[in-house]
Structure formats: structure tokens, C-alpha cells
Amino acid sequence: MHFLLVGPGALGCLLGAIVLKGMTGSDRLTVLDHNADRAGRLSRDGIGYHLEDQLVRFPVTAIADPQLADPVDIVLLCVKSYDVLSSLEFCRPLLSERVLVLFMQNGISHLQLQVHLGEAKAAFGTTTEGATLLGTGEVRHAGSGATYLGFLNTPEPQAAVGLQMTRDILSAGGLQVHLTDNILARLWAKLFINVGINALTAILGCTNGELLSLPGIDRRMDAAIDEAMHIAGKKNIPILDEPHHATRQVCLKTAKNISSMLQDVTKKRRTEIDAINGALVVLGKKLGIDTPENSLLSRQIKAMEAGYVR
Ligand code: KPL
């Protein structure tokens, strides 16, 4: 099985390290990075996986030109939601009909982008593992969670086998991974958590764990999640875990983690606000549901971005 990792950020490096740890025999992983400097550094230094006080370095081949890759079986697409389209365009030469692309984005705005895959097949994944990028190719595994993988539409047999093998390799690498027949509900279960954690941690500059002890914040967290649940109900999306409880559990399990949105604003990068709270505001307008808390969170993050995003 040949994996192609696209997007060596925090989650990409974490999954890359886990695949490198879990794979056997002829399995291999190549990183594709449009940034040639970073690809060079990854090839030279590998992926550094930090877990508590331990560091394990996994050698990896990284390329900046998709034409240099051998045929791939699975693309682990770990780029930010707003980069999905341009990344698919970049990978286009590799996306034959035998390729399975596993979308690993936060939020829900990437769900309609599978039509841009051409002949390749789409699977979706979501994880509550905590990952913090410490530098190029250096990731801290900052809290354990659960990972769900599945298809939005009935898969062809080869794609189903590809996803099972991906599950097996990620499990062998140490993650708790489940295949699910209802990935849409799982993606929404993760959305509720991101809605409750990401923007608030970015605005307050705190870790996921600190969020629980800041006065008045639980009210904002609950209000944002309530609005998301109202929209899910209207769209007939099953609500799998009690979202308020699940969000607090993730705060506890990834207490030391810096959420991806706080990592983004700290590094003055564009955030995924439009795919998370912003996507709910848009859906709320369509469905006639008020979303004052998600609107406020979106406006606050947009105001922060306006200070640095061009
Ligand atoms: O998905 C996350 C993120 O930071 O984007 C959580 C689960 C909240 C972990 O930080």
C-alpha cells in the first residue's frame, strides 16, 4: 500500500508518523508538499513524533513535484479546508480511478468537494486526537482521542478494502480507529466539538483544558453547540454523542493541546472559521435558524484575521 500524505501540518505529521509506525512489508508513505524547501527538510530530517518526554524520528521521502511520485493507493489529504480545492488540483496527475482520497478536514465545507476528484474515490475521516506542530515535520501528540473513517456513498469494493487497510495500519500505529457507516453523523459530532472549542480558545489564547475554568465561557460554549444541534436536527443528522458532554471530554483529554485555530492565529495564518462556525451561520440563514453565538464567534475570529491575513 502506497500512501501519499498531502499537507504535513499538525494532523498530517501526526497521521504520517502513525502510518510509518504501523505499516509493514511493502507499505510505504511519501509526503507531497508544494513547498520545495519544506519537502527538502522533511526528506532530510523525517517526521519527529513527540509523545510526552519521548521523541521518535521517522525517516520519510518527501517530494514537491507530483510527477515524481510512484503510483499511489491512498491519499491522506490533511490540508486545511480552504486549501482542499487547490491541493486536489496540485495532485491531479496522481488521481487515477484506483486511488482513494481520504479527506481529514475539520468542519463541513469540504463535503461537497468530492465532485472535484475526477476518477478517484472519496472517503472521509475525523479525529479528536490532539496534535501540535512544533516546527517543520515536528509534531507533539498532545492527547488521545478517537478516529472515524467512512464513505458518504456506497463504496466500490477496492475503495472499501483500501479504507480497511488504512484503518488496520493506523490501529497498528497506535490510534483508536473505527470504520463507520455513518461518517456524516461522525463529522457533525466532531463539528459540535470544534464549534465549542476552536474559536473560543483562539479568542482567549488558552489551551483546550484551560477553556473549562474560564468564567462565563461554558455559557458561550453551550450556546454555540446548541445552535449547531438545532441545525443538525433540522437537517435530520443523527446526534451520536451528547455534544456538550463530548466537548468537555475532549477539553479534558487534550487539556494541554493548543487547538488548531489557536495555532493558526498565533502563526498569523488563515483559520478554518468559515468551515466551522461560519458554515453554521450560512446554514442557519438558509434554514431560518438564528445563530447569534456562532455569528459572534465568526466575527471575532474574522476581526483577528483582518489584523494579519491579506
Ligand atoms: O480538532 C481539534 C482542533 O484543534 O482542531 C480538537 C479536537 C479541538 C483538538 O484540539
Side-chain angles (χ1 to χ4, degrees):
M1 185 73 76
H2 184 194
F3 288 90
L4 185 77
L5 170 64
V6 182
L11 179 62
C13 285
L14 176 68
L15 292 184
I18 297 292
V19 167
L20 290 161
K21 198 164 147 203
M23 68 193 193
T24 51
S26 60
D27 295 331
R28 63 203 177 101
L29 178 129
T30 304
V31 178
L32 175 64
D33 190 341
H34 65 95
N35 179 326
D37 273 359
R38 201 164 46 200
R41 267 195 276 165
L42 280 161
S43 281
R44 192 190 62 206
D45 301 334
I47 295 180
Y49 171 77
H50 301 246
L51 180 65
E52 288 158 9
D53 291 338
Q54 289 196 317
L55 164 63
V56 184
R57 197 160 288 288
F58 293 97
V60 74
T61 304
I63 54 173
D65 178 355
Q67 310 278 359
L68 297 179
D70 292 337
V72 300
D73 301 297
I74 310 281
V75 175
L76 296 175
L77 191 65
C78 296
V79 297
K80 297 283 186 182
S81 53
Y82 49 79
D83 278 334
V84 166
L85 264 187
S86 58
S87 299
L88 289 179
E89 204 42 55
F90 183 54
C91 298
R92 177 84 45 220
L94 296 166
L95 299 183
S96 69
E97 43 120 38
R98 62 188 285 277
V99 174
L100 179 65
V101 177
L102 178 55
F103 289 78
M104 290 300 304
Q105 286 64 42
N106 272 335
I108 46 174
S109 60
H110 61 293
L111 298 184
Q112 61 268 39
L113 299 180
Q114 52 172 324
V115 293
H116 296 273
L117 278 181
E119 298 281 280
K121 311 293 179 284
F124 292 84
T126 176
T127 184
T128 48
E129 296 291 332
T132 308
L133 195 67
L134 304 174
T136 300
E138 299 293 316
V139 65
R140 180 190 300 131
H141 195 171
S144 60
T147 301
Y148 290 89
L149 309 177
F151 295 96
L152 285 179
N153 312 112
T154 309
E156 288 179 14
Q158 193 189 344
V161 170
L163 200 63
Q164 276 160 20
M165 292 173 82
T166 306
R167 186 267 320 264
D168 293 347
I169 289 175
L170 291 172
S171 302
L175 291 196
Q176 197 199 320
V177 189
H178 312 273
L179 294 182
T180 172
D181 289 338
N182 201 346
I183 190 68
L184 188 60
R186 281 291 161 202
L187 290 163
W188 273 78
K190 175 70 190 298
L191 177 69
F192 298 136
I193 292 167
N194 288 133
V195 158
I197 296 179
N198 289 32
L200 285 170
T201 51
I203 292 161
L204 297 161
C206 67
T207 62
N208 295 352
E210 284 163 354
L211 205 51
L212 295 181
S213 56
L214 294 173
I217 292 310
D218 51 346
R219 194 207 53 76
R220 291 196 70 185
M221 182 188 268
D222 287 341
I225 296 171
D226 282 341
E227 292 169 11
M229 288 171 70
H230 193 175
I231 291 173
K234 193 89 176 201
K235 286 177 68 63
N236 291 322
I237 310 271
I239 294 178
L240 298 177
D241 307 319
E242 203 298 300
H244 301 273
H245 176 71
T247 303
R248 283 167 174 77
Q249 285 301 108
V250 170
C251 286
L252 293 173
K253 282 192 157 184
T254 64
K256 290 192 193 136
N257 196 41
I258 311 286
S259 77
S260 56
M261 203 171 286
L262 177 53
Q263 293 181 54
D264 288 338
V265 296
T266 307
K267 292 185 181 148
K268 300 194 179 344
R269 286 188 309 227
R270 184 174 168 188
T271 71
E272 292 186 299
I273 192 74
D274 289 338
I276 302 175
N277 311 79
L280 291 172
V281 175
V282 172
L283 277 176
K285 277 196 186 118
K286 267 196 207 147
L287 299 170
I289 295 173
D290 284 342
T291 54
E293 188 57 52
N294 283 288
S295 299
L296 178 58
L297 289 167
S298 296
R299 286 200 307 277
Q300 286 184 283
I301 294 293
K302 291 273 179 197
M304 291 171 86
E305 283 182 344
Y308 58 79
V309 171
R310 264 165 274 272

